[in-house]
Amino acid sequence: MTTEFRQPAKKALGQHFLHERHIIDKMLLAIDPRPGDRFVEIGPGQGALTFPLLDRHGALTAIEYDRDLLEPLTAAAKAHGELTLVHSDVMDVDFTALADGAPFRLVGNLPYNLSSPILFHALDHAAVIRDMHFMLQKEVVDRMAAGPGSKVYGRLSVMLQAYCKVTSLFKVPPGAFRPPPKVDSAVVRLVPRPPGEVGIVDPRHFADVVRAAFGQRRKTLRNALSSVCDAEQITAAGIDPQSRAEQLAVSEFVRLANETVER
Ligand code: SAM
């Protein structure tokens, strides 16, 4: 079946096709498909993850931007299960509409050039996503999962961890892909927190606070946040205005944003 995928990988679409069987098995083990689950895959490519998932689960929806992959994917999928292929840029897909009231599990070996936009897009639709398992550049996964005090703790860490439990699962070497990327990869799990647990009063203000705090991460919060709130408000939130963004726990960012929101 794979002989039908004749075209060379397209660099502009971040095409690095996974071929290491034991990495695919490890991903499936981490995903642990259960009866009744609904799966949506981003970027099925040549079906490295799609076909084993179909073998295990019977059906899934996949979103692929590369028109040239649609026909061979559809043909090859027939031997594995029921593949619903959506030809679209994933950034144009309204996950909430796609869910149509039935939350799904999102998986994908993502195009690395679009990692952050896809992650933020998924966050916007977290209410219909049960969990996510993504292959990403390892450096990005490290940033996603980092905690206060870490050099790589930043906006991505706080924004994702405020809304999801983030777990870095395992590292994947470049040789697992054809063609091999220049960087190490890693698989990460994100589980959206229930809205009551998130506790953010105004998501837009929260995002502004986090962006401002890390926009000038070497500055004290008092200076970095001058456009969003004053030192008195920071103190009222129980936070030292002389501290820096990289020292603040995610829960402190939530408290700071909630205390300084205009009501
Ligand atoms: N899942 C396959 C695998 O593991 O071998 C392919 C992974 S490859 C890293 C990324 C895939 O995402 C490619 O198939 C690529 O065509 C697709 N892709 C790139 N940009 C996309 C976009 N904006 N929307 C949907 N799919 C995209």
Side-chain angles (χ1 to χ4, degrees):
M1 285 293 182
T2 45
T3 51
E4 292 174 45
F5 292 99
R6 288 206 190 93
Q7 59 151 354
K10 295 177 183 168
K11 212 174 162 187
L13 292 181
Q15 291 182 349
H16 296 278
F17 300 116
L18 191 56
H19 69 89
E20 277 280 350
R21 189 67 235 184
H22 80 276
I23 300 289
I24 296 167
D25 288 345
K26 240 173 134 171
M27 259 189 107
L28 279 176
L29 207 65
I31 294 168
D32 189 20
R34 297 292 170 104
D37 287 350
R38 211 181 145 204
F39 281 99
V40 174
E41 183 185 6
I42 299 170
Q46 299 183 345
L49 200 57
T50 323
F51 301 151
L53 252 177
L54 281 174
D55 290 337
R56 283 276 303 270
H57 201 64
L60 76 89
T61 298
I63 303 156
E64 177 56 62
Y65 185 59
D66 185 356
R67 179 187 299 275
D68 295 335
L69 289 171
L70 303 181
E71 213 181 286
L73 259 174
T74 307
K78 287 198 175 110
H80 300 274
E82 194 187 317
L83 176 65
T84 305
L85 209 45
V86 178
H87 178 215
S88 174
D89 178 344
V90 63
M91 298 302 294
D92 294 334
V93 175
D94 179 339
F95 288 133
T96 305
L98 184 70
D100 195 19
F104 56 79
R105 306 184 65 192
L106 193 58
V107 299
N109 170 11
L110 299 186
Y112 294 176
N113 52 334
L114 275 183
S115 302
S116 293
I118 292 175
L119 290 167
F120 281 101
H121 184 53
L123 268 195
D124 285 342
H125 297 271
V128 297
I129 300 175
R130 277 187 39 214
D131 62 11
M132 302 170 240
H133 288 83
F134 294 138
M135 174 91 73
L136 290 162
Q137 200 173 323
K138 182 175 178 296
E139 177 255 317
V140 173
V141 171
D142 289 345
R143 286 200 277 130
M144 291 165 70
S150 156
K151 272 194 188 136
V152 294
Y153 181 62
R155 176 173 169 247
L156 191 66
S157 332
V158 175
M159 289 305 294
L160 292 175
Q161 292 173 34
Y163 292 98
C164 303
K165 185 173 186 312
V166 180
T167 314
S168 170
L169 296 176
F170 56 91
K171 186 175 145 182
V172 180
F177 306 88
R178 279 196 203 105
K182 289 199 175 72
V183 292
D184 280 330
S185 302
V187 174
V188 65
R189 176 186 293 135
L190 296 105
V191 183
R193 301 181 193 283
E197 193 183 306
V198 174
I200 293 171
V201 172
D202 179 344
R204 190 175 287 182
H205 179 65
F206 176 74
D208 287 346
V209 167
V210 176
R211 189 180 296 106
F214 284 106
Q216 313 188 58
R217 61 186 292 147
R218 276 169 217 289
K219 288 195 174 177
T220 60
L221 287 177
R222 163 194 219 116
N223 290 329
L225 292 178
S226 58
S227 63
V228 204
C229 56
D230 59 31
E232 230 168 77
Q233 288 174 301
I234 301 173
T235 308
I239 291 158
D240 179 0
Q242 292 304 115
S243 57
R244 290 177 169 73
E246 59 206 21
Q247 299 170 298
L248 241 56
V250 175
S251 57
E252 291 178 299
F253 274 106
V254 174
R255 204 167 68 225
L256 181 60
N258 286 351
E259 285 292 331
T260 55
V261 73
E262 280 177 31
R263 287 170 214 262

